[in-house]
């Protein structure tokens, strides 16, 4: 028995040793070998090798990541939009007038074409009704509670389980190589803060996003921040380099996006002297996730794909490049 | 000779050992023993001791610092204002009309009372003429070049040599204890970014400050950020908690200020449940720096001093509490 136990122990040790060795040699195990994986690894190797002509000191290793469609799922509708619709339904009993008022009527009746007809004005009204009128901490708490139970209509998993495993590996890999990783999203900054530290290991001060106006005042003798129904900043398209400058104060050397909303961030990052990395995640896998492309309603990427060839960005073909899409369920 | 050399070497080693030991036991060597130093050390000890009822996990150890008058000198005028006046003089040859136009005429003639009479409108015009019309990187480069040579009128040292040595020790001490340190200043965010990493060890993404509007556009085919002569955000007074929320996304547990512009930041930080630290730097040393108080033109602190007793903030008496004010010249 003793011999057999020793043999098992040796085997277990060996297995551990092998898996550690593999993890050390392959920082991106969920990526198939191919041009996308090679481009990411080559970039990180080049800018971190002392003495390399492409060496970048750690203090300037800034990498920015779009969120929706780049770090987690964005179909069939943006997760934050699903949250807003759910909040309208939850708040409806306090607003009997919504039964007869657009765009709320459309939400309550599930009439998506009437909702689409309400356009941007309708969207702003829904954001005002569901995202304003409370302190930021209370808003984040509401989002956390929703994320704890709400499920994606097709995958029937919580949204936090629908982050992209290969991108989690990129975040970890870049941080292990001295990068500071930031989210730069068109989505709401406080919405993302509600889960980004837990899901991506990115702290609240490294989130750049759209925001509504927040006001400081004393209420009942206590200092209070309060969210107002008024747009403060739109961190999308040409707003992304502006948001990056305001929050980060350095020009990124790597940027990851998936749609035309990321076009200017990718240009701002890569159209500069020196070694740069631009990555466009292309959703090509209808079976394991979604396939969408030019002219899609959510996440269209006409200009980003055109620019990718001009600016030599790396296009990730999800079907070809990713072994797995979502993390394995615990 | 050999014996004497060995003896000297031993002595040198001993001296190094002693100074290391002292540095280890006293993280704030430029502070006199007294209530202010004790309050800072007791706070850091309490919130970092595992098992303590006041323990705060590292991810929530946020400390915010005002800049002018808290981390460096702000008399006889704010350093950034001295920069703006110098830029008006430097740019005057390109603007012959300034000889006859206020507030520029007042600057060029050194007529401080006419400048004061131009008020806030005049100040905004000077900021527009000196701080806008270029990319952020070019602005920061101009500030760096000025800081490399410009000297304080009384101390005849460069402004970066007029940071407060005791506060540099506080920054280092808190970071060594897992705190993330942020500047939260009424001054311009890009002005501070020009020197904060070098002077304070605080990176660009940990600076919160006032800003003018920055616009992204393609110029001559290149993606460009451009500073416009328009106020974007005023990070002062009630703006400080708003700026903290926007950039940091967490409520600080320690805040350091020196004037009424820091009142709301100090309230927001300390008027919350749990162990908190609020510090007001009181300029009481006319000989080694400046003595100013209620009703002073720059850095007035009427409300902050009143609130300090109510909210039990620690008031630093610079004359009593600081052994040295500025770093020893290299």
């Amino acid at each position: 028995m003793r011999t057999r136990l020793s043999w098992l122990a040796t085997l277990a040790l060996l297995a551990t040793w092998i898996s550690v060795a593999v993890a050390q040699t392959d920082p991106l195990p969920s990526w198939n070998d191919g041009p996308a994986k090679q481009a990411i690894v080559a970039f990180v190797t080049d800018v971190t090798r002392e003495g390399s002509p492409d060496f970048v000191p750690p203090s300037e290793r800034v990498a920015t990541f779009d969120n929706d469609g780049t770090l987690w799922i964005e179909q069939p509708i943006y997760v934050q939009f699903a949250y807003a619709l759910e909040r309208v339904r939850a708040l409806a009993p306090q607003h009997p007038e919504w039964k007869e008022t657009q765009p709320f009527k459309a939400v309550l009746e599930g009439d998506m074409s009437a909702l689409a007809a309400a356009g941007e004005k309708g969207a702003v009204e829904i954001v005002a009704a569901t995202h304003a009128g409370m302190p930021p901490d209370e808003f984040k708490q509401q989002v956390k509670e929703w994320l704890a139970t709400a499920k994606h209509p097709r995958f029937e998993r919580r949204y936090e389980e629908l982050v992209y495993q290969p991108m989690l590996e990129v975040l970890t890999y870049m941080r292990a190589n001295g990068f500071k990783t930031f989210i730069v999203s068109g989505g709401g900054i406080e919405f993302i803060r509600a889960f980004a530290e837990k899901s991506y290991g990115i702290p609240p001060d490294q989130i750049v996003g759209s925001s509504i106006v927040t006001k400081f005042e004393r209420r009942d003798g206590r200092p209070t921040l309060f969210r107002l129904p008024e747009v403060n900043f739109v961190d999308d398209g040409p707003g992304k380099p502006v948001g990056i400058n305001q929050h980060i104060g350095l020009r990124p050397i790597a940027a990851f996006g998936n749609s035309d909303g990321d076009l200017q961030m990718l240009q701002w990052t890569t159209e500069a002297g020196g070694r740069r990395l631009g990555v466009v995640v292309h959703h090509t896998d209808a079976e394991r996730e979604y396939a969408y492309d030019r002219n899609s309603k959510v996440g269209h990427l006409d200009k980003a794909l055109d620019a990718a060839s001009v600016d030599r960005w790396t296009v990730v073909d999800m079907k070809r490049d990713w072994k797995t899409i979502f993390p394995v369920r615990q």
Side-chain angles (χ1 to χ4, degrees), chain A residues 37-51:
Chain A
K37 179 175 181 171
Q38 285 160 17
I40 294 168
V41 173
F43 170 78
V44 170
T45 305
D46 287 352
V47 299
T48 56
R49 192 175 46 224
E50 298 242 20

Side-chain angles (χ1 to χ4, degrees), chain A residues 75 154 282-293 296:
Chain A
Q75 296 283 1
R154 177 178 151 198
H282 193 186
H283 294 257
T284 52
D285 196 328
E287 201 177 313
R288 295 187 299 168
E289 202 236 11
Y290 291 94
Y292 51 102
D293 211 325
S296 67

Side-chain angles (χ1 to χ4, degrees), chain A residues 22 25-42 166 169 173 288 314-324:
Chain A
V22 168
T25 51
D26 187 357
L28 304 175
S30 298
W31 290 70
N32 288 313
D33 281 327
K37 179 175 181 171
Q38 285 160 17
I40 294 168
V41 173
E169 293 167 6
Y173 173 49
R288 295 187 299 168
T314 296
V315 176
V316 173
D317 180 322
M318 283 173 69
K319 188 171 182 173
R320 178 197 67 187
D321 289 319
W322 288 1
K323 279 185 198 161
T324 54

Side-chain angles (χ1 to χ4, degrees), chain A residues 217-293:
Chain A
E217 58 189 9
R218 297 196 77 88
R219 291 194 170 207
D220 306 323
R222 296 158 61 95
T224 310
L225 285 171
F226 207 75
R227 289 164 63 79
L228 302 183
E230 190 184 329
V231 173
N232 177 58
F233 181 67
V234 178
D235 189 60
D236 201 29
K240 287 203 174 187
V242 173
I244 286 169
N245 184 67
Q246 179 73 6
H247 284 257
I248 308 176
L250 284 174
R251 197 162 174 173
I253 62 169
F256 295 73
N258 81 302
S259 81
D260 288 354
D262 304 311
L263 181 69
Q264 288 85 354
M265 172 172 78
L266 285 158
Q267 291 172 333
W268 175 241
T269 301
T270 60
E271 292 183 26
R275 189 84 161 87
R276 298 290 183 269
L277 178 70
V279 176
V280 176
V281 175
H282 193 186
H283 294 257
T284 52
D285 196 328
E287 201 177 313
R288 295 187 299 168
E289 202 236 11
Y290 291 94
Y292 51 102
D293 211 325

